[in-house]
Amino acid sequence: MKQNIQGQTTRISLILITVELSLVSFSLFDSVLAWVLLIVACAAIMRGAIYFNFHKHFPSIRTLNLLALLCALGLIYSGMSLGLLIGMVNLLVLACALKLMQVRTQRDVYQLILSLFFLIGCGFIFNQTIVFSIFYCVMSFLLLLSLATHHAPNIQFKTQIIRVLKLSVQAAPIGVLLFMVLPQLPPLWQTPKSKNMETGLSEQITPGDIASLSQSSKLAFRATFNHSVPTTSARYWRAIVMEDFDGKTWKVHALRKKVRAQQLAANLEYSPILRGSYLDYQVIAEPTHQNWLFALDLATPNGNASNAEIFQSNDFKLISHQKLVSQYQYKVRSYPQAIKAQTFSQLDQQLNLSVPQNSNPQTRDWINQLRAQHPSNKSFIQAVLAHFTSNPFQYTLTPPLMFTDPVDQFLFDKQAGFCSHYASALAFSLRLGGIPARIVTGYQGGEVVKNNDQTSYVSVYQYDAHAWVEVWQQDTGWLRVDPTALVSPDRINLGLREAMSDEGSFLADSPFALARLTDIPWLNNIRLLLADVDYNWSRWILGFNQQSQRELFKSILGKITPNSMSLLGLGITAVIVLLLTLYFIPHWLAGRADKTQRYYQQAITLFNKHQQVRMTWQGPEDFSQYVKQNYPTKISTPLQNLTKLFVRIKYQNVNASNQGQLSIKNCQRMMAKELRKLKAELSSFTKRA
């Protein structure tokens, strides 16, 4: 028979579950539909009204069934474009909200708690930062507390908190061990793009786009170098190569995408010519929901894991086989001098010399005149670059709008713009002069941070976004040319913040961003501390993958063999068993030390052996009275005396300091004496029977 849930403590358990569902659901705001969150809010308000006695009646089953049907239809209609994973998360949140409205039995509580554990797991899928991880751990603790409160409603709430906290602390070492040794499997799903996800760079730019991106202080990626960090002016982080220009917008060429898709399908990876010194480093990229990665020129994957997961394109890009739906860690080796040695294919020539027809006529006339004056490619390039230094060009994050013939307006009228304006104008001008050129977008610079272990890493933010030009020459190969460095050398050598200090436009749309507060020492220390914590979390926890686990095993075992792995498994099992033993020994010893309970239980066991089982509804005195009615006096009298002593110690608060009362020790001694009598009489009774 189902038992209705009642009692003040049980109501506290339900209000804890209500708070839990509300917080976890709203933490998934980017993935859960707004009307589903509204249903959650209604369920929470309803449960709160019942808890505070503002309302005393649950909604009827018929009402809930109708609401469930309408919600299911709404989810089917809204979920067509959500994808399987987000659709199932919305369904789970909706099911929890509806279940909260109809909790009436013990079974309903258990179903809701189990569903909430699954919902917390979904939270870890979408949000893996240290802040959200701490939040979901607190939510797990709260859910365990609600379960403990529901199971033991007579125990004080403060005692329950201490008990659950103690159990959680005891479970933490075992959880860490399992995290380190369990197989690190890849996810069985791909997280779809959430509706508010910022991806940073795009595969096409119109001059001015990167200027708006540079108003964001969001982290793009971090890089940890094995040795010294390159200078700021040498840190050009390549991401996307754009070769298609229509007179206004640059984008990745469709033919390049087609060739790359064919190479991926045939597994024909580009093998660059490597020469010169190299840099080894590790990158932790933030989610972009794109495949391209960040690296210094000229980059190759480093290590077995990175080689297997990263494809190298013939435009020198690194491309992940999977989209970056969460933080992604990879190792890279870069050869700064190698880009000059790469070959120039027929495809490169076709894509990087094409120019749109009938656009920017003033630039065309200027280039024709300039080319006639400078037949040499080298002198022609110098003449084009001299235009930027001999005219009052201004580097700004708030460039004027240029709707028609933007290159003409930028070069001859406005003469103010961001890096994409300069790169676009230079690449187009060089192509008009018959010199292959293309735009590369990525990031430049980054903030060098010293870690607690005295190692340094580079934090690159969205405001470090940058665009530059690559030019092909027969005698120099591919050569990076950055016109921004001519107009604003501080942008390249010192960073965007210092370059924009006079203009005051740095993060003007984000006045409270911590990146703006570096001049205040204590706020800057807080910012660096938070960045350091987040970096170590990303590197050691989120970045603990199959390769990291293998390296850990090698450091422990020396050489990985089936025998050594078996010994490691046995050792881990032994450690876990030892920890569990240490946790349970105090309880076992406490049970052994409680002679009162042990003596009485032995007496009950004696009757169980004689087919006289104490019923669950019988209290100690009820059972003693039953034995008195059905057994001889020689048997019932010792049990009566033993029961009186048991009740006196357990329920009447016997204290050795109270005069006129027997001490607990004397009572236990008398219980042992009566137990011996009971054993003897029951044994004699059994023989006679």
Side-chain angles (χ1 to χ4, degrees), residues 399-442:
L401 298 177
M402 307 172 201
F403 294 108
T404 58
D405 295 327
V407 177
D408 283 355
Q409 291 191 53
F410 172 70
L411 285 175
F412 306 106
D413 297 331
K414 307 296 184 181
Q415 294 188 337
F418 194 58
C419 60
S420 53
H421 292 87
Y422 291 96
S424 176
L426 177 60
F428 178 60
S429 299
L430 294 179
R431 284 190 179 186
L432 289 174
I435 298 176
R438 61 192 183 189
I439 283 184
V440 181
T441 61

Side-chain angles (χ1 to χ4, degrees), residues 38 55 66 86 119 171 216 257 260 290 332 355 406 416 427 438 447 453 464 511 523 563 609 683:
L38 182 62
H55 188 73
L66 179 60
I86 289 185
L119 193 59
S216 171
K257 287 184 177 181
R260 186 183 302 140
Q290 304 293 338
V332 182
V355 292
R438 61 192 183 189
E447 180 183 38
D453 58 1
D464 292 312
L523 284 177
N563 290 336
K609 290 180 179 179
S683 178

Side-chain angles (χ1 to χ4, degrees), residues 283-512:
V283 178
I284 304 175
E286 294 298 304
T288 61
H289 289 267
Q290 304 293 338
N291 294 80
W292 31 262
L293 303 175
F294 316 103
L296 302 175
D297 287 328
L298 186 134
T300 60
N302 188 19
N304 295 332
S306 296
N307 277 312
E309 298 169 1
I310 298 175
F311 177 83
Q312 188 142 27
S313 175
N314 53 6
D315 56 357
F316 316 144
K317 288 170 54 177
L318 295 183
I319 301 173
S320 171
H321 289 294
Q322 301 292 336
K323 290 186 176 181
L324 274 62
V325 297
S326 59
Q327 281 190 337
Y328 179 62
Q329 189 170 160
Y330 56 98
K331 293 182 178 181
V332 182
R333 174 170 289 180
S334 291
Y335 295 80
Q337 305 301 321
I339 192 170
K340 300 177 181 179
Q342 306 311 306
T343 57
F344 187 69
S345 65
Q346 185 177 357
L347 177 64
D348 292 328
Q349 182 172 1
Q350 176 184 347
L351 300 185
N352 294 292
L353 282 174
S354 63
V355 292
Q357 300 297 322
N358 303 321
S359 68
N360 302 289
Q362 192 173 357
T363 303
R364 293 174 183 271
D365 293 340
W366 173 60
I367 290 298
N368 289 335
Q369 296 174 11
L370 205 63
R371 194 53 163 157
Q373 299 172 8
H374 302 277
S376 167
N377 286 345
K378 185 176 181 180
S379 62
F380 170 72
I381 294 174
Q382 293 298 326
V384 174
L385 293 176
H387 182 75
F388 294 106
T389 56
S390 60
N391 289 281
F393 279 91
Q394 180 186 0
Y395 182 78
T396 177
L397 293 180
T398 56
L401 298 177
M402 307 172 201
F403 294 108
T404 58
D405 295 327
V407 177
D408 283 355
Q409 291 191 53
F410 172 70
L411 285 175
F412 306 106
D413 297 331
K414 307 296 184 181
Q415 294 188 337
F418 194 58
C419 60
S420 53
H421 292 87
Y422 291 96
S424 176
L426 177 60
F428 178 60
S429 299
L430 294 179
R431 284 190 179 186
L432 289 174
I435 298 176
R438 61 192 183 189
I439 283 184
V440 181
T441 61
Y443 298 88
Q444 197 283 324
E447 180 183 38
V448 179
V449 182
K450 188 174 288 293
N451 201 3
N452 289 332
D453 58 1
Q454 301 306 310
T455 60
S456 297
Y457 61 91
V458 179
S459 294
V460 180
Y461 299 91
Q462 295 296 350
Y463 58 72
D464 292 312
H466 193 57
W468 59 93
V469 178
E470 281 185 348
V471 181
W472 169 262
Q473 288 285 280
Q474 185 67 36
D475 54 341
T476 62
W478 284 108
L479 183 67
R480 182 196 309 129
V481 180
D482 189 355
T484 302
L486 301 175
V487 179
S488 178
D490 286 347
R491 166 62 186 92
I492 306 304
N493 298 320
L494 301 177
L496 184 67
R497 178 176 175 273
E498 286 73 14
M500 296 292 100
S501 57
D502 294 335
E503 185 181 76
S505 58
F506 176 69
L507 295 181
D509 297 336
S510 306
F512 299 105

Side-chain angles (χ1 to χ4, degrees), residues 37-221:
L37 292 177
L38 182 62
I39 297 294
V40 173
C42 291
I45 293 172
M46 184 182 300
R47 182 55 61 181
I50 293 174
Y51 177 78
F52 292 106
N53 293 320
F54 297 143
H55 188 73
K56 297 184 181 297
H57 301 288
F58 293 99
S60 65
I61 298 298
R62 180 178 298 177
T63 302
L64 287 175
N65 288 339
L66 179 60
L67 180 61
L69 179 61
L70 293 175
C71 289
L73 294 175
L75 192 59
I76 292 173
Y77 176 78
S78 305
M80 294 295 185
S81 59
L82 294 178
L84 179 61
L85 180 59
I86 289 185
M88 296 305 293
V89 170
N90 278 270
L91 179 61
L92 182 58
V93 173
L94 191 59
C96 290
L98 295 175
K99 176 59 70 175
L100 184 63
M101 294 182 185
Q102 66 165 10
V103 173
R104 291 180 172 85
T105 65
Q106 301 280 6
R107 182 180 179 183
D108 292 335
V109 176
Y110 297 144
Q111 288 177 343
L112 186 56
I113 289 175
L114 185 61
S115 299
L116 282 172
F117 272 121
F118 275 100
L119 193 59
I120 291 174
C122 294
F124 277 111
I125 294 175
F126 291 96
N127 303 299
Q128 298 178 357
T129 64
I130 187 169
V131 174
F132 273 103
S133 297
I134 293 174
F135 169 75
Y136 288 127
C137 287
V138 172
M139 291 297 100
S140 299
F141 173 81
L142 191 65
L143 198 54
L144 290 172
L145 180 61
S146 65
L147 182 61
T149 305
H150 181 71
H151 266 294
N154 295 324
I155 299 178
Q156 291 185 350
F157 188 66
K158 182 179 179 181
T159 304
Q160 292 282 28
I161 293 176
I162 295 173
R163 178 176 294 180
V164 175
L165 183 61
K166 183 179 179 180
L167 291 173
S168 301
V169 172
Q170 290 176 341
I174 297 176
V176 171
L177 278 174
L178 294 177
F179 172 77
M180 294 171 63
V181 302
L182 287 180
Q184 299 292 319
L185 300 176
L188 302 177
W189 57 82
Q190 283 299 311
T191 308
K193 181 179 179 180
S194 58
K195 52 190 175 186
N196 291 329
M197 175 63 66
E198 292 187 14
T199 58
L201 297 173
S202 172
E203 290 195 346
Q204 70 175 36
I205 60 166
T206 299
D209 288 349
I210 295 184
S212 60
L213 181 61
S214 292
Q215 294 294 344
S216 171
S217 60
K218 290 184 177 295
L219 182 69
F221 62 92

